[in-house]
Amino acid sequence: MATSDPVYLRVVEDIRRQITDGTLPPGAPIPSRAQLTRKYQVGETAARHALRVLAGEGLIIGRVGSGHYVRERPDLTPLYRWRFLDHPAPFAADLQSQGRRVTWDWHSEPTEAGPDIARRLRLSESTTLTRTHYIFRGEGRPLQLATSYEPLEFTPHSEEERRSLVARMYAHGIKITEVVESVHSRVPRPAESDALDLAAGVHVLHIERTHWAGDRPVETSDIVVPGDRFRVTYSMPV
């Protein structure tokens, strides 16, 4: 971040070190701007900028009328990606197996494939697909966003038909032979931050998942989970 007062970096680096080594534990108050200017012999602008950077990194959180505090470090919940593939909502089934209560909402709509999804499903960009949006919640708190794309002929038309994707495809005479996932970390989009109630500086894990039947991709999804709440776990058979 550009600034005309680079001495703010000295403040950021020292407070970051204290948070990392535990000198400032989770929940500990961060010195006010006035205290920072005195302690580090910097100006008001540098102190304000240092707090903004630390908040942007997700290390501290501001509370209106109270100041800044070291952000709590939640325990990361494991997501076992190979389990419950026969469940209509594998994510929910995984967390429920760990004692969490999970609910989800969804809605479907027709959409054109567009360049990216067409590439992933090996279709023309003008192909009409079914796009389904999901939001998963645990104890009322948003946990995961997912958007799935599949050909119209495979779309379930009733709640009873919303079986696992593997079972639905099998009913159409299609056997899923492989599920491929690609994971990367990124900055959340504003709508994702709002939907997942993310604190400033928290990245998300983006999982691009595709179901394959032999050499044919039959479904692809974009799955978004908060990077400060989950760790993704895979099993690799030997």
Side-chain angles (χ1 to χ4, degrees):
M1 300 174 69
T3 176
S4 59
D5 190 7
V7 295
Y8 83 95
L9 288 173
R10 178 159 48 88
V11 182
V12 170
E13 290 167 0
D14 189 53
I15 294 178
R16 185 193 292 127
R17 176 190 58 76
Q18 293 181 63
I19 293 173
T20 301
D21 68 18
T23 302
L24 287 172
I30 298 297
S32 67
R33 287 198 300 268
Q35 291 170 328
L36 291 176
T37 60
R38 290 194 298 269
K39 179 177 179 180
Y40 294 97
Q41 296 295 297
V42 298
E44 173 79 9
T45 299
R48 181 169 57 250
H49 196 64
L51 291 173
R52 188 182 303 124
V53 170
L54 290 164
E57 291 181 358
L59 294 174
I60 67 175
I61 187 168
R63 297 175 186 164
V64 177
S66 178
H68 290 81
Y69 297 82
V70 179
R71 196 163 174 271
E72 297 290 338
R73 301 170 191 166
D75 292 331
L76 299 180
T77 300
L79 296 181
Y80 297 99
R81 301 302 298 169
W82 71 90
R83 301 198 301 186
F84 304 107
L85 292 178
D86 59 346
H87 191 279
F91 172 82
D94 184 8
L95 292 188
Q96 287 167 348
S97 74
Q98 300 179 52
R100 304 278 292 275
R101 181 178 178 274
V102 180
T103 60
W104 63 96
D105 299 316
W106 59 271
H107 74 272
S108 296
E109 60 197 5
T111 188
E112 280 196 357
D116 180 50
I117 301 302
R119 173 186 57 79
R120 287 156 61 173
L121 289 178
R122 297 183 178 178
L123 301 169
S124 70
E125 295 183 17
S126 61
T127 302
T128 300
L129 305 171
T130 297
R131 176 173 60 196
T132 304
H133 298 281
Y134 300 86
I135 180 166
F136 294 83
R137 298 179 177 87
E139 288 77 42
R141 187 184 187 192
L143 299 177
Q144 176 182 275
L145 306 176
T147 305
S148 172
Y149 301 85
E150 56 187 281
L152 287 175
E153 64 264 30
F154 303 143
T155 304
H157 299 288
S158 68
E159 189 63 39
E160 290 71 26
E161 293 179 3
R162 296 199 70 82
R163 295 169 289 176
S164 73
L165 187 138
V166 173
R168 285 198 289 110
M169 293 297 171
Y170 189 76
H172 288 276
I174 295 173
K175 177 177 172 53
I176 300 298
T177 56
E178 187 178 23
V179 182
V180 178
E181 293 191 341
S182 173
V183 185
H184 67 277
S185 173
R186 63 171 172 81
V187 175
R189 303 180 184 108
E192 294 168 339
S193 290
D194 291 341
L196 291 170
D197 192 23
L198 300 178
V202 174
H203 284 207
V204 294
L205 297 176
H206 185 136
I207 304 170
E208 181 184 307
R209 181 193 67 192
T210 302
H211 285 79
W212 291 77
D215 60 358
R216 178 190 178 189
V218 294
E219 183 272 351
T220 192
S221 295
D222 291 299
I223 300 166
V224 179
V225 295
D228 67 337
R229 300 177 206 166
F230 296 100
R231 54 185 172 88
V232 180
T233 305
Y234 290 91
S235 173
M236 291 177 283
V238 177

